[in-house]
Amino acid sequence: MNTQVVIIGAGPAGLLLGQLLHNHGVDAVVLERKSADYVLGRIRAGVLEHGTRTVLNAAGVGTRMEAEGLAHEGIELAFDGQIHRIDFEDLIGREVMVYGQTEVTRDLMDAREAAGAVTVYEAEEVTLHDIDGDRPHVSYVKDGVTHEIACDFIAGCDGFHGVSRRTVQDRVQTFERVYPFGWLGVLVEKPPVWPELIYAGHPRGFALCSQRSPTRSRYYVQCDGTDDVAEWSDDRFWDELRRRIPPEAAEVLQTGPSIEKSIAPLRSFVAEPMRFGRLFLAGDAAHIVPPTGAKGLNLAVSDVVYLSDGLKEYYVERSSAGIDAYSARALQRVWKAERFSWAMTQMLHAFPGADPFDRRIQRAEFETLRGSRAAAQALSENYTGLDF
Ligand code: APR
Ligand code: PHB
Protein backbone atom coordinates (compact mmCIF):
# COMPACT_ATOMS: atom_id res chain seq x y z
CA MET A 1 0.00 0.00 0.00
CA ASN A 2 1.12 3.60 -0.67
CA THR A 3 -0.01 6.77 1.06
CA GLN A 4 1.32 10.23 1.86
CA VAL A 5 1.06 10.05 5.67
CA VAL A 6 0.77 7.01 7.95
CA ILE A 7 -0.87 7.97 11.25
CA ILE A 8 -0.27 5.57 14.13
CA GLY A 9 -3.10 5.67 16.67
CA ALA A 10 -6.85 6.33 16.38
CA GLY A 11 -7.20 8.41 19.54
CA PRO A 12 -8.15 12.09 19.35
CA ALA A 13 -4.72 13.12 17.98
CA GLY A 14 -4.61 10.54 15.19
CA LEU A 15 -8.23 10.91 14.16
CA LEU A 16 -8.19 14.71 14.18
CA LEU A 17 -4.94 14.74 12.19
CA GLY A 18 -6.58 12.40 9.68
CA GLN A 19 -9.60 14.71 9.43
CA LEU A 20 -7.51 17.87 8.98
CA LEU A 21 -5.27 16.21 6.35
CA HIS A 22 -8.32 14.90 4.51
CA ASN A 23 -9.76 18.42 4.42
CA HIS A 24 -6.40 19.61 3.01
CA GLY A 25 -6.52 16.89 0.33
CA VAL A 26 -3.62 14.95 1.87
CA ASP A 27 -4.00 11.16 1.87
CA ALA A 28 -3.47 9.36 5.18
CA VAL A 29 -3.93 5.84 6.57
CA VAL A 30 -4.60 5.36 10.30
CA LEU A 31 -3.26 2.24 12.03
CA GLU A 32 -4.84 1.45 15.41
CA ARG A 33 -3.80 -1.41 17.70
CA LYS A 34 -7.21 -1.82 19.33
CA SER A 35 -10.76 -2.17 18.01
CA ALA A 36 -12.95 0.91 17.47
CA ASP A 37 -15.21 -0.23 20.34
CA TYR A 38 -12.22 -0.53 22.66
CA VAL A 39 -11.08 3.00 21.78
CA LEU A 40 -14.60 4.32 22.38
CA GLY A 41 -14.75 2.48 25.71
CA ARG A 42 -12.06 4.69 27.21
CA ILE A 43 -13.47 7.28 29.62
CA ARG A 44 -11.29 10.38 29.53
CA ALA A 45 -11.53 14.09 30.29
CA GLY A 46 -14.21 16.41 29.11
CA VAL A 47 -13.18 20.07 28.81
CA LEU A 48 -12.54 21.53 25.35
CA GLU A 49 -10.64 24.82 25.10
CA HIS A 50 -12.03 27.69 23.06
CA GLY A 51 -9.50 26.91 20.30
CA THR A 52 -10.31 23.20 20.26
CA ARG A 53 -14.00 24.00 19.79
CA THR A 54 -13.13 26.32 16.90
CA VAL A 55 -10.89 23.69 15.24
CA LEU A 56 -13.50 20.92 15.54
CA ASN A 57 -16.19 23.15 14.03
CA ALA A 58 -13.89 24.29 11.20
CA ALA A 59 -12.95 20.65 10.52
CA GLY A 60 -16.64 19.80 10.08
CA VAL A 61 -17.00 17.57 13.15
CA GLY A 62 -18.57 20.01 15.64
CA THR A 63 -22.31 19.58 15.00
CA ARG A 64 -23.06 17.14 17.85
CA MET A 65 -20.68 18.99 20.17
CA GLU A 66 -22.61 22.23 19.65
CA ALA A 67 -25.94 20.40 20.08
CA GLU A 68 -25.05 18.22 23.10
CA GLY A 69 -22.02 19.95 24.65
CA LEU A 70 -22.29 22.20 27.70
CA ALA A 71 -20.76 25.67 27.22
CA HIS A 72 -19.30 26.93 30.50
CA GLU A 73 -18.31 30.54 31.24
CA GLY A 74 -16.33 29.75 34.38
CA ILE A 75 -15.21 27.28 37.05
CA GLU A 76 -15.43 27.20 40.84
CA LEU A 77 -12.25 26.97 42.89
CA ALA A 78 -12.74 25.77 46.45
CA PHE A 79 -10.21 25.67 49.24
CA ASP A 80 -10.79 24.28 52.72
CA GLY A 81 -14.54 24.57 52.17
CA GLN A 82 -14.59 28.12 50.76
CA ILE A 83 -15.75 28.56 47.16
CA HIS A 84 -14.78 31.19 44.57
CA ARG A 85 -15.95 31.44 40.95
CA ILE A 86 -13.48 32.28 38.21
CA ASP A 87 -15.68 33.98 35.62
CA PHE A 88 -13.92 33.51 32.27
CA GLU A 89 -16.55 35.51 30.37
CA ASP A 90 -16.19 38.53 32.66
CA LEU A 91 -12.42 38.27 32.96
CA ILE A 92 -11.35 37.54 29.35
CA GLY A 93 -14.55 37.12 27.30
CA ARG A 94 -13.97 33.41 26.66
CA GLU A 95 -15.72 30.11 27.55
CA VAL A 96 -14.99 26.39 27.38
CA MET A 97 -17.08 23.49 26.08
CA VAL A 98 -17.73 20.50 28.37
CA TYR A 99 -18.04 17.52 26.00
CA GLY A 100 -16.53 14.08 26.66
CA GLN A 101 -13.38 13.04 24.81
CA THR A 102 -15.19 9.80 23.99
CA GLU A 103 -17.80 11.85 22.08
CA VAL A 104 -15.09 13.80 20.23
CA THR A 105 -13.50 10.49 19.25
CA ARG A 106 -16.86 9.12 18.11
CA ASP A 107 -17.55 12.20 15.97
CA LEU A 108 -14.10 11.90 14.37
CA MET A 109 -14.55 8.18 13.69
CA ASP A 110 -17.91 8.84 12.04
CA ALA A 111 -16.45 11.62 9.87
CA ARG A 112 -13.52 9.42 8.82
CA GLU A 113 -15.85 6.59 7.84
CA ALA A 114 -18.14 8.98 5.93
CA ALA A 115 -15.10 10.27 4.01
CA GLY A 116 -14.16 6.69 3.07
CA ALA A 117 -10.68 7.20 4.55
CA VAL A 118 -8.71 4.08 5.49
CA THR A 119 -8.46 3.12 9.18
CA VAL A 120 -7.00 -0.30 10.04
CA TYR A 121 -8.19 -1.39 13.50
CA GLU A 122 -6.58 -4.25 15.41
CA ALA A 123 -3.33 -3.63 13.51
CA GLU A 124 -0.66 -5.54 15.42
CA GLU A 125 3.12 -5.29 15.52
CA VAL A 126 3.17 -1.84 13.93
CA THR A 127 6.81 -1.18 13.09
CA LEU A 128 8.45 1.98 11.72
CA HIS A 129 11.16 1.66 9.06
CA ASP A 130 13.66 4.11 7.50
CA ILE A 131 12.31 7.16 9.30
CA ASP A 132 15.48 9.11 8.42
CA GLY A 133 15.29 8.26 4.71
CA ASP A 134 13.20 9.76 1.89
CA ARG A 135 10.84 6.78 1.71
CA PRO A 136 9.92 5.63 5.19
CA HIS A 137 7.49 2.79 5.52
CA VAL A 138 5.40 1.10 8.18
CA SER A 139 4.68 -2.61 8.56
CA TYR A 140 1.89 -4.22 10.60
CA VAL A 141 0.18 -7.55 11.04
CA LYS A 142 -3.58 -7.93 10.51
CA ASP A 143 -5.29 -11.33 10.86
CA GLY A 144 -1.88 -12.97 10.73
CA VAL A 145 -0.88 -11.30 7.44
CA THR A 146 2.02 -8.82 7.33
CA HIS A 147 1.38 -5.59 5.40
CA GLU A 148 3.70 -2.78 4.31
CA ILE A 149 2.75 0.85 3.69
CA ALA A 150 5.19 3.13 1.89
CA CYS A 151 4.70 6.80 2.75
CA ASP A 152 6.32 10.24 2.88
CA PHE A 153 5.75 10.88 6.59
CA ILE A 154 4.74 9.03 9.76
CA ALA A 155 2.69 10.72 12.52
CA GLY A 156 3.20 9.03 15.88
CA CYS A 157 -0.17 9.65 17.55
CA ASP A 158 0.01 6.43 19.54
CA GLY A 159 -0.07 7.77 23.08
CA PHE A 160 2.27 7.44 26.04
CA HIS A 161 2.80 3.70 25.62
CA GLY A 162 3.02 3.70 21.82
CA VAL A 163 5.68 2.37 19.47
CA SER A 164 6.63 5.73 17.91
CA ARG A 165 8.54 7.30 20.82
CA ARG A 166 9.96 3.88 21.62
CA THR A 167 11.41 3.76 18.08
CA VAL A 168 13.52 6.85 18.86
CA GLN A 169 14.05 6.25 22.58
CA ASP A 170 17.84 6.61 22.21
CA ARG A 171 17.49 9.99 20.50
CA VAL A 172 14.80 11.62 22.60
CA GLN A 173 15.37 13.80 25.69
CA THR A 174 12.67 13.36 28.32
CA PHE A 175 11.54 15.55 31.24
CA GLU A 176 9.31 13.98 33.89
CA ARG A 177 7.60 14.52 37.23
CA VAL A 178 5.62 11.58 38.64
CA TYR A 179 3.16 12.67 41.36
CA PRO A 180 2.72 10.60 44.55
CA PHE A 181 -1.02 10.27 44.04
CA GLY A 182 -3.67 9.42 41.43
CA TRP A 183 -7.24 10.38 40.57
CA LEU A 184 -10.06 7.96 41.28
CA GLY A 185 -12.80 8.81 38.77
CA VAL A 186 -16.49 7.84 38.86
CA LEU A 187 -19.14 8.23 36.15
CA VAL A 188 -22.73 8.37 37.48
CA GLU A 189 -26.16 8.80 35.88
CA LYS A 190 -27.14 11.72 38.13
CA PRO A 191 -27.48 15.47 37.47
CA PRO A 192 -24.34 17.52 38.18
CA VAL A 193 -24.10 18.80 41.75
CA TRP A 194 -23.35 22.40 40.69
CA PRO A 195 -23.81 24.60 37.63
CA GLU A 196 -20.02 24.89 37.18
CA LEU A 197 -17.14 22.46 37.58
CA ILE A 198 -15.73 22.57 41.12
CA TYR A 199 -11.97 22.13 41.68
CA ALA A 200 -11.65 21.60 45.44
CA GLY A 201 -8.43 21.63 47.49
CA HIS A 202 -8.73 20.10 50.97
CA PRO A 203 -6.34 18.71 53.61
CA ARG A 204 -7.81 15.25 52.92
CA GLY A 205 -7.02 15.65 49.22
CA PHE A 206 -8.22 17.10 45.95
CA ALA A 207 -11.73 16.56 44.54
CA LEU A 208 -13.31 17.55 41.22
CA CYS A 209 -17.00 17.78 40.33
CA SER A 210 -17.41 17.64 36.55
CA GLN A 211 -20.19 16.93 34.08
CA ARG A 212 -21.07 14.98 30.93
CA SER A 213 -24.70 16.01 30.36
CA PRO A 214 -27.71 17.39 32.36
CA THR A 215 -28.23 13.84 33.66
CA ARG A 216 -24.68 12.42 33.79
CA SER A 217 -21.81 13.54 36.03
CA ARG A 218 -18.11 12.80 36.40
CA TYR A 219 -16.43 13.04 39.82
CA TYR A 220 -12.83 12.53 40.97
CA VAL A 221 -11.06 12.28 44.33
CA GLN A 222 -7.30 12.30 44.82
CA CYS A 223 -6.19 8.87 46.01
CA ASP A 224 -2.89 7.27 46.92
CA GLY A 225 -0.78 6.33 43.93
CA THR A 226 -0.70 2.71 45.10
CA ASP A 227 -4.48 2.41 45.63
CA ASP A 228 -6.40 -0.32 43.84
CA VAL A 229 -9.86 0.63 42.58
CA ALA A 230 -11.20 -2.51 44.33
CA GLU A 231 -10.43 -0.75 47.64
CA TRP A 232 -12.93 1.98 46.80
CA SER A 233 -16.59 1.06 47.20
CA ASP A 234 -19.09 3.58 45.85
CA ASP A 235 -20.05 4.48 49.42
CA ARG A 236 -16.44 5.15 50.36
CA PHE A 237 -16.06 7.32 47.28
CA TRP A 238 -19.19 9.41 47.94
CA ASP A 239 -18.30 9.86 51.63
CA GLU A 240 -14.82 11.10 50.70
CA LEU A 241 -16.14 13.41 47.98
CA ARG A 242 -18.68 14.97 50.38
CA ARG A 243 -15.90 15.64 52.94
CA ARG A 244 -13.72 17.48 50.42
CA ILE A 245 -16.15 19.67 48.46
CA PRO A 246 -17.74 22.82 49.93
CA PRO A 247 -20.60 22.07 52.38
CA GLU A 248 -23.17 23.86 50.21
CA ALA A 249 -22.34 21.44 47.40
CA ALA A 250 -22.08 18.36 49.60
CA GLU A 251 -25.62 19.04 50.85
CA VAL A 252 -27.13 18.77 47.35
CA LEU A 253 -24.88 16.04 45.91
CA GLN A 254 -26.96 13.35 44.18
CA THR A 255 -25.17 10.00 44.37
CA GLY A 256 -25.90 6.69 42.70
CA PRO A 257 -24.22 3.50 41.46
CA SER A 258 -21.01 4.13 39.50
CA ILE A 259 -21.26 3.15 35.83
CA GLU A 260 -17.49 3.50 35.47
CA LYS A 261 -14.82 3.68 38.15
CA SER A 262 -11.05 3.82 37.53
CA ILE A 263 -7.79 5.23 38.87
CA ALA A 264 -5.48 7.32 36.67
CA PRO A 265 -1.86 8.03 37.66
CA LEU A 266 -0.67 11.65 37.51
CA ARG A 267 2.44 12.55 35.62
CA SER A 268 4.07 15.53 33.87
CA PHE A 269 6.15 14.38 30.91
CA VAL A 270 7.67 15.92 27.79
CA ALA A 271 9.78 14.29 25.06
CA GLU A 272 12.00 16.55 22.96
CA PRO A 273 12.22 17.05 20.07
CA MET A 274 8.90 16.06 18.49
CA ARG A 275 10.39 15.29 15.09
CA PHE A 276 12.91 12.69 13.92
CA GLY A 277 13.45 12.76 10.15
CA ARG A 278 10.12 11.73 8.59
CA LEU A 279 8.58 10.84 11.98
CA PHE A 280 6.55 13.41 13.93
CA LEU A 281 5.27 12.82 17.48
CA ALA A 282 1.94 14.37 18.51
CA GLY A 283 -0.35 14.23 21.53
CA ASP A 284 0.30 11.87 24.42
CA ALA A 285 3.09 10.20 22.40
CA ALA A 286 5.10 13.36 23.07
CA HIS A 287 3.76 14.72 26.37
CA ILE A 288 1.57 14.01 29.37
CA VAL A 289 -0.01 16.47 31.78
CA PRO A 290 -1.80 15.88 35.10
CA PRO A 291 -5.55 16.31 34.33
CA THR A 292 -5.87 19.21 36.82
CA GLY A 293 -5.70 21.72 34.00
CA ALA A 294 -7.76 19.69 31.48
CA LYS A 295 -4.96 20.09 28.90
CA GLY A 296 -4.34 16.54 27.61
CA LEU A 297 -6.82 16.45 24.75
CA ASN A 298 -6.36 20.15 23.99
CA LEU A 299 -2.58 19.80 23.57
CA ALA A 300 -3.18 16.90 21.16
CA VAL A 301 -5.35 19.32 19.17
CA SER A 302 -2.78 22.10 18.96
CA ASP A 303 -0.04 19.61 18.00
CA VAL A 304 -2.03 18.24 15.08
CA VAL A 305 -3.15 21.69 13.96
CA TYR A 306 0.51 22.72 13.68
CA LEU A 307 1.43 19.40 12.02
CA SER A 308 -1.44 19.41 9.51
CA ASP A 309 -0.66 23.06 8.61
CA GLY A 310 2.97 22.08 8.00
CA LEU A 311 2.08 19.04 5.91
CA LYS A 312 -0.41 21.09 3.87
CA GLU A 313 2.39 23.61 3.17
CA TYR A 314 4.67 20.75 2.11
CA TYR A 315 2.21 19.18 -0.32
CA VAL A 316 0.30 22.21 -1.58
CA GLU A 317 2.91 25.01 -1.44
CA ARG A 318 5.97 22.70 -1.78
CA SER A 319 7.51 24.32 1.28
CA SER A 320 9.13 22.47 4.22
CA ALA A 321 9.05 25.54 6.47
CA GLY A 322 6.01 24.36 8.43
CA ILE A 323 7.21 20.84 9.13
CA ASP A 324 10.72 22.12 9.92
CA ALA A 325 9.20 24.51 12.50
CA TYR A 326 6.74 21.97 13.93
CA SER A 327 8.69 20.66 16.92
CA ALA A 328 9.78 24.06 18.27
CA ARG A 329 6.35 25.56 17.65
CA ALA A 330 4.47 22.71 19.35
CA LEU A 331 6.86 22.52 22.31
CA GLN A 332 6.48 26.23 23.03
CA ARG A 333 2.75 25.72 23.69
CA VAL A 334 3.27 22.30 25.30
CA TRP A 335 5.56 23.71 28.00
CA LYS A 336 3.14 26.53 28.84
CA ALA A 337 0.39 23.95 29.33
CA GLU A 338 2.78 21.76 31.34
CA ARG A 339 3.51 24.73 33.62
CA PHE A 340 -0.18 25.52 34.07
CA SER A 341 -1.12 21.90 34.77
CA TRP A 342 1.75 21.56 37.23
CA ALA A 343 0.80 24.79 39.02
CA MET A 344 -2.88 23.81 39.33
CA THR A 345 -1.78 20.41 40.69
CA GLN A 346 0.60 22.02 43.19
CA MET A 347 -2.09 24.40 44.42
CA LEU A 348 -4.93 21.92 44.86
CA HIS A 349 -3.50 18.58 46.00
CA ALA A 350 -2.50 17.31 49.44
CA PHE A 351 1.14 16.27 48.97
CA PRO A 352 2.42 13.53 51.28
CA GLY A 353 5.10 15.08 53.49
CA ALA A 354 3.85 18.62 52.92
CA ASP A 355 4.68 20.84 55.91
CA PRO A 356 2.63 23.75 57.32
CA PHE A 357 4.56 26.17 55.12
CA ASP A 358 3.45 24.26 52.00
CA ARG A 359 -0.19 24.44 53.08
CA ARG A 360 0.05 28.18 53.75
CA ILE A 361 1.52 28.72 50.29
CA GLN A 362 -1.37 26.75 48.76
CA ARG A 363 -3.82 28.93 50.66
CA ALA A 364 -1.99 32.05 49.51
CA GLU A 365 -2.29 30.85 45.88
CA PHE A 366 -6.05 30.57 46.37
CA GLU A 367 -6.28 33.97 48.11
CA THR A 368 -4.22 35.58 45.34
CA LEU A 369 -6.66 34.30 42.73
CA ARG A 370 -9.58 35.46 44.85
CA GLY A 371 -8.12 38.92 45.43
CA SER A 372 -6.45 39.76 42.13
CA ARG A 373 -8.35 40.22 38.85
CA ALA A 374 -5.03 40.02 36.99
CA ALA A 375 -4.19 36.68 38.62
CA ALA A 376 -7.66 35.36 37.82
CA GLN A 377 -7.29 36.58 34.23
CA ALA A 378 -3.99 34.72 33.88
CA LEU A 379 -5.59 31.50 35.13
CA SER A 380 -8.54 32.08 32.75
CA GLU A 381 -6.26 32.58 29.73
CA ASN A 382 -4.50 29.30 30.44
CA TYR A 383 -7.60 27.30 31.32
CA THR A 384 -9.69 28.42 28.31
CA GLY A 385 -6.64 27.89 26.09
CA LEU A 386 -3.75 30.02 24.87
CA ASP A 387 -4.00 31.07 21.22
CA PHE A 388 -2.34 28.61 18.78
N1 APR B 1 0.16 0.58 17.24
C1 APR B 1 -1.04 1.14 16.90
N2 APR B 1 -1.79 1.91 17.74
C2 APR B 1 -1.30 2.11 18.98
C3 APR B 1 -0.06 1.58 19.41
C4 APR B 1 0.68 0.78 18.48
N3 APR B 1 1.86 0.26 18.82
N4 APR B 1 0.15 1.97 20.71
C5 APR B 1 -0.92 2.72 21.06
N5 APR B 1 -1.80 2.80 20.03
C6 APR B 1 -3.08 3.51 20.00
C7 APR B 1 -3.87 3.37 21.30
O1 APR B 1 -4.64 2.17 21.30
C8 APR B 1 -4.74 4.62 21.28
O2 APR B 1 -5.99 4.39 20.67
O3 APR B 1 -2.83 4.90 19.89
C9 APR B 1 -3.94 5.63 20.45
C10 APR B 1 -3.40 6.78 21.28
O4 APR B 1 -4.51 7.54 21.75
P1 APR B 1 -4.43 8.34 23.16
O5 APR B 1 -3.67 7.55 24.15
O6 APR B 1 -5.83 8.78 23.49
O7 APR B 1 -3.55 9.63 22.84
P2 APR B 1 -3.89 10.94 21.97
O8 APR B 1 -4.63 10.62 20.74
O9 APR B 1 -2.61 11.69 21.92
O10 APR B 1 -4.92 11.76 22.88
C11 APR B 1 -4.52 12.38 24.05
O11 APR B 1 -6.08 11.04 25.22
O12 APR B 1 -5.31 9.59 26.82
C12 APR B 1 -5.91 10.78 26.62
O13 APR B 1 -5.40 12.14 28.49
C13 APR B 1 -5.10 11.91 27.15
O14 APR B 1 -6.75 13.51 26.75
C14 APR B 1 -5.52 13.02 26.28
C15 APR B 1 -5.72 12.38 24.94
C1 PHB C 1 -13.63 15.53 33.25
O1 PHB C 1 -14.80 15.98 33.08
O2 PHB C 1 -13.34 14.32 33.12
C2 PHB C 1 -12.54 16.50 33.64
C3 PHB C 1 -12.83 17.86 33.70
C4 PHB C 1 -11.84 18.76 34.06
C5 PHB C 1 -10.55 18.29 34.36
C6 PHB C 1 -10.26 16.92 34.29
C7 PHB C 1 -11.25 16.02 33.94
O3 PHB C 1 -9.58 19.17 34.72
Side-chain angles (χ1 to χ4, degrees):
M1 197 191 303
N2 262 295
T3 188
Q4 290 173 305
V5 182
V6 170
I7 299 171
I8 305 175
L15 290 172
L16 179 57
L17 179 59
Q19 182 67 14
L20 296 176
L21 291 177
H22 174 77
N23 292 347
H24 291 327
V26 178
D27 187 40
V29 171
V30 173
L31 300 179
E32 165 57 49
R33 177 164 63 179
K34 299 293 187 181
S35 68
D37 286 344
Y38 185 96
V39 173
L40 288 171
R42 292 183 183 126
I43 302 299
R44 291 285 195 275
V47 173
L48 306 184
E49 292 176 349
H50 163 82
T52 294
R53 183 181 180 185
T54 303
V55 166
L56 292 175
N57 282 322
V61 292
T63 305
R64 200 162 67 94
M65 169 185 68
E66 292 301 331
E68 299 175 14
L70 307 168
H72 278 245
E73 296 185 350
I75 56 172
E76 301 282 1
L77 288 183
F79 200 83
D80 290 353
Q82 290 179 292
I83 195 164
H84 173 68
R85 186 159 185 275
I86 303 284
D87 186 336
F88 306 142
E89 192 57 41
D90 167 59
L91 288 160
I92 60 168
R94 284 262 171 102
E95 62 184 18
V96 293
M97 176 65 88
V98 176
Y99 185 66
Q101 176 174 311
T102 305
E103 305 319 313
V104 173
T105 305
R106 191 189 316 277
D107 294 340
L108 287 164
M109 282 181 178
D110 292 348
R112 186 161 182 82
E113 189 174 349
V118 177
T119 306
V120 180
Y121 288 100
E122 298 175 298
E124 298 173 318
E125 299 175 40
V126 171
T127 310
L128 287 65
H129 307 276
D130 301 330
I131 65 173
D132 295 306
D134 289 341
R135 286 301 288 164
H137 61 280
V138 178
S139 60
Y140 67 93
V141 176
K142 171 81 175 173
D143 302 330
V145 177
T146 298
H147 300 262
E148 293 261 346
I149 309 179
C151 56
D152 299 326
F153 299 103
I154 302 168
C157 301
D158 45 351
F160 186 65
H161 301 288
V163 64
S164 299
R165 196 178 71 250
R166 197 162 59 241
T167 301
V168 292
Q169 62 188 358
D170 301 334
R171 300 160 62 178
V172 72
Q173 183 178 9
T174 60
F175 305 81
E176 188 168 44
R177 171 69 45 83
V178 178
Y179 297 92
F181 39 71
W183 279 19
L184 167 63
V186 157
L187 203 58
V188 64
E189 207 63 50
K190 287 288 183 183
V193 64
W194 211 253
E196 298 294 10
L197 272 61
I198 303 176
Y199 289 79
H202 189 278
R204 295 182 64 86
F206 171 78
L208 170 61
C209 303
S210 187
Q211 319 180 359
R212 285 293 178 274
S213 77
T215 60
R216 176 172 287 200
S217 300
R218 180 77 168 155
Y219 294 102
Y220 299 92
V221 297
Q222 171 189 341
C223 64
D224 192 280
T226 57
D227 274 4
D228 183 309
V229 67
E231 298 169 51
W232 284 85
S233 67
D234 285 5
D235 288 346
R236 180 186 175 195
F237 178 86
W238 296 123
D239 289 347
E240 198 56 47
L241 182 70
R242 278 197 197 87
R243 298 173 78 161
R244 299 183 185 185
I245 61 179
E248 56 266 53
E251 282 162 18
V252 295
L253 177 67
Q254 292 188 52
T255 65
S258 57
I259 51 180
E260 194 271 349
K261 182 158 59 179
S262 55
I263 292 179
L266 264 65
R267 173 198 319 268
S268 296
F269 175 88
V270 179
E272 293 185 4
M274 289 171 59
R275 178 199 186 172
F276 300 85
R278 295 301 182 106
L279 169 64
F280 298 94
L281 302 180
D284 273 18
H287 41 72
I288 297 289
V289 283
T292 331
K295 292 295 153 210
L297 171 57
N298 295 293
L299 276 180
V301 170
S302 49
D303 287 351
V304 299
V305 164
Y306 297 149
L307 183 52
S308 63
D309 284 352
L311 289 168
K312 177 196 167 200
E313 267 184 54
Y314 177 85
Y315 284 109
V316 176
E317 295 148 38
R318 311 307 298 170
S319 160
S320 295
I323 55 175
D324 292 345
Y326 165 71
S327 180
R329 189 180 180 201
L331 282 167
Q332 223 258 348
R333 192 173 192 273
V334 163
W335 274 111
K336 289 178 181 175
E338 289 281 349
R339 182 211 64 83
F340 176 67
S341 305
W342 172 84
M344 287 282 279
T345 303
Q346 289 292 120
M347 175 173 69
L348 291 166
H349 287 74
F351 281 72
D355 63 21
F357 176 82
D358 298 320
R359 286 294 295 169
R360 285 291 184 275
I361 290 295
Q362 288 178 316
R363 165 131 221 124
E365 288 284 352
F366 176 72
E367 292 301 340
T368 299
L369 287 164
R370 201 156 64 157
S372 159
R373 184 176 175 83
Q377 283 174 318
L379 183 149
S380 302
E381 282 179 357
N382 283 278
Y383 191 92
T384 60
L386 301 177
D387 291 338
F388 288 176

